[in-house]
Amino acid sequence: GAIGAAGLALPFGTGSGAALETGEASQWTREHANSIELTDDTTAPVIDENSDVISDDYWIWDTWPLRYRDGSIAKIDGWQVVFSLTASKDLVPGARHNEATIRYFYSRNGHDWQEGGTAFENPLGHHQWAGSAMYDQSEDQIYHFYTATSPEPEFRQRLALGKGASLRTSPHGVELTGDQEHVIIGEADGDLYQTLEQSREQGIVYAFRDPWYFEHPETGEDLVVFEGNTPTGGDSPDDPQSYNGNVGVMRATNDELTEWELLPPNLEAIEVNQQLERPHYVFNNGKWYLFVLSHEFTFAPGLSGPDALYGFVSDSLYGEYEPLNGSGLVLANPESAPFQAYSWLAMPHGNDVLIESFENFRGLDDTSRGEISLDEVGHLPPEEQKELFGGTLAPSLKLQLEGTKTRIVSELNDGHFLPSGGSNKGTNGNNQ
Ligand code: FRU
């Protein structure tokens, strides 16, 4: 509820503006998705085979930077900090999801990442999936939003917050300090957001995860977007209604950010796609650019699209979202390496956008081409599976935004998450 800790009715969030108005979800329609087409402006260059490896011990995949409350990327005494899902390289890549542990890495130049340690001492969940981390400078504490997930094969997901940690820096590095407390801040309610139980008949995947914190740019309210599903009653993988991905929204109802209320989704992909993963915003020229990731295998029957970053633009949280480039496609893997990268994260970078991702499976092709398919990887001997998997940061890309159009304009050096001076290779991103 909206009642504060002391029993007082507190205004929402910390902002002074008018209360936020919710509205109908915009739709990513079959018509939009039917026009998905890889062009020079939306296709990533093929990743070099010999890119840097960030860690010898751990696979690294979904990654997010420590940001200040206003969304800008934190730089503390010259250090940047990123958090990643990690798992031991003793595991085959497919086994990593069930063992995901959030670890941190730090760097002075956005390139030479050093391994810190685990982000949490006693997190909730059997393992933890993606999230976002906000550093409040005046309180000197990190609010770390993440997904508390139960063991395979159930993978029940709840949204969690770990707070209380701080950072100690030295000329040699960064250390996370302090005691953390962990609270569940969101669970699927079965009405706005489909529960695990409701999703069982669908026979595909279920989502209630990936909380991404942001401050409302006008009202200052504390908000989270996350990946959910709309209950549609789909009852088999052949039923288009089983493909019901949405972008969920939550609002904090206390200043401690420990209590939240679910708001309706603001984007749905019903009969289009089952997963709108890791939703996040870039605010640019008064516009709300909403980005999500999705996979080839979660498009509804009759539709097809690549493993890619997709995006939508609106002028408010619950405004009319228009798919970028007509179809929603922003950044696809090249056709010759359709699974080379995944889990793209778009971040403001001057007036442009910087996109970070991880190296996924190289050398794999569509089944149609008769090479090894993604499904077949899991049946290869462990060493061969590991050979094909990157499990490290991919070269970041730079994207230009112009209203509803986007364009990949350059590639940064291997492993570059955040640019440092002179790191730009200046390639135009079209050399597939
Ligand atoms: C995206 C993703 C996230 C999830 C994590 C699980 O790559 O599927 O949605 O948090 O990976 O490993």
Side-chain angles (χ1 to χ4, degrees), residues 324-340:
L324 296 173
N325 306 313
S327 66
L329 181 65
V330 172
L331 170 56
N333 282 328
E335 274 178 89
S336 62
F339 306 107
Q340 70 167 14

Side-chain angles (χ1 to χ4, degrees), residues 72-129:
S72 58
I73 290 165
K75 202 162 197 181
I76 299 168
D77 299 330
W79 296 103
Q80 295 170 343
V81 179
V82 296
F83 297 92
S84 301
L85 299 187
T86 70
S88 165
K89 285 190 175 174
D90 293 343
L91 297 168
V92 293
R96 73 187 195 280
H97 301 284
N98 194 47
E99 301 294 336
T101 301
I102 300 173
R103 286 190 164 78
Y104 68 100
F105 299 83
Y106 51 86
S107 160
R108 280 196 184 281
N109 62 8
H111 181 227
D112 301 306
W113 295 100
Q114 297 177 55
E115 217 167 287
T118 55
F120 304 130
E121 249 166 41
N122 291 301
L124 298 172
H126 165 266
H127 57 273
Q128 294 72 43
W129 283 352

Side-chain angles (χ1 to χ4, degrees), residues 61-62 85 97 129-130 209-210 227 277-278 293 342-343:
W61 64 111
D62 296 19
L85 299 187
H97 301 284
W129 283 352
R209 62 175 181 268
D210 301 351
E227 176 191 356
E277 303 198 275
R278 294 190 74 193
L293 340 160
Y342 197 67
S343 219

Side-chain angles (χ1 to χ4, degrees), residues 143-420:
Y143 291 81
H144 207 149
F145 299 87
Y146 63 97
T147 311
T149 313
S150 79
E152 190 169 20
E154 199 175 44
F155 285 145
R156 182 183 300 277
Q157 299 144 44
R158 298 181 299 164
L159 308 183
L161 168 68
K163 56 181 284 197
S166 179
L167 293 166
R168 191 181 303 142
T169 62
S170 79
H172 311 291
V174 176
E175 203 193 327
L176 277 189
T177 57
D179 293 332
Q180 292 161 332
E181 23 154 344
H182 294 267
V183 284
I184 293 295
I185 57 167
E187 289 187 67
D189 62 341
D191 178 21
L192 296 171
Y193 300 99
Q194 189 174 47
T195 60
L196 173 68
E197 287 67 27
Q198 287 171 322
S199 77
R200 283 216 165 97
E201 297 290 292
Q202 293 176 193
I204 28 177
V205 285
Y206 134 94
F208 192 80
R209 62 175 181 268
D210 301 351
W212 189 85
Y213 169 86
F214 69 105
E215 203 180 45
H216 190 294
E218 284 126 40
T219 67
E221 285 162 297
D222 296 293
L223 297 165
V224 155
V225 280
F226 61 89
E227 176 191 356
N229 296 122
T230 299
T232 48
D235 61 9
S236 78
D238 303 325
D239 181 350
Q241 289 278 318
S242 295
Y243 299 77
N244 55 4
N246 70 29
V247 172
V249 186
M250 279 196 328
R251 163 169 55 187
T253 57
N254 68 357
D255 285 342
E256 292 73 38
L257 307 190
T258 53
E259 288 173 23
W260 294 74
E261 63 173 348
L262 291 174
L263 300 178
N266 65 356
L267 180 71
E268 292 178 326
I270 295 168
E271 298 198 12
V272 173
N273 199 303
Q274 171 65 359
Q275 300 201 109
L276 305 184
E277 303 198 275
R278 294 190 74 193
H280 57 280
Y281 278 105
V282 170
F283 302 106
N284 182 286
N285 273 324
K287 298 276 185 209
W288 295 54
Y289 286 89
L290 175 57
F291 294 96
V292 298
L293 340 160
S294 202
H295 286 290
E296 191 180 284
F297 83 93
T298 51
F299 275 96
L303 290 175
S304 63
D307 273 28
L309 178 72
Y310 294 89
F312 304 83
V313 61
S314 164
D315 49 21
S316 62
L317 180 61
Y318 282 95
E320 188 70 30
Y321 283 85
E322 230 184 289
L324 296 173
N325 306 313
S327 66
L329 181 65
V330 172
L331 170 56
N333 282 328
E335 274 178 89
S336 62
F339 306 107
Q340 70 167 14
Y342 197 67
S343 219
W344 298 270
L345 184 75
M347 294 166 282
H349 177 50
N351 202 40
D352 297 322
V353 172
L354 186 75
I355 301 175
E356 166 276 330
S357 64
F358 78 94
E359 291 184 27
N360 198 13
F361 287 101
R362 321 171 242 265
L364 293 195
D365 216 329
D366 286 334
T367 27
S368 56
R369 256 169 276 188
E371 313 245 343
I372 308 167
S373 78
L374 195 56
D375 292 339
E376 285 157 355
V377 179
H379 303 295
L380 296 172
E383 283 317 310
E384 288 180 36
Q385 297 185 37
K386 293 179 185 180
E387 258 319 287
L388 291 167
F389 187 62
T392 192
L393 293 183
S396 294
L397 297 166
K398 205 162 103 175
L399 185 83
Q400 277 177 355
L401 301 176
E402 276 170 37
T404 60
K405 286 250 159 283
T406 68
R407 195 155 73 91
I408 300 166
V409 289
S410 65
E411 181 188 6
L412 302 179
N413 286 339
D414 292 340
H416 264 276
F417 182 73
L418 302 171
S420 59

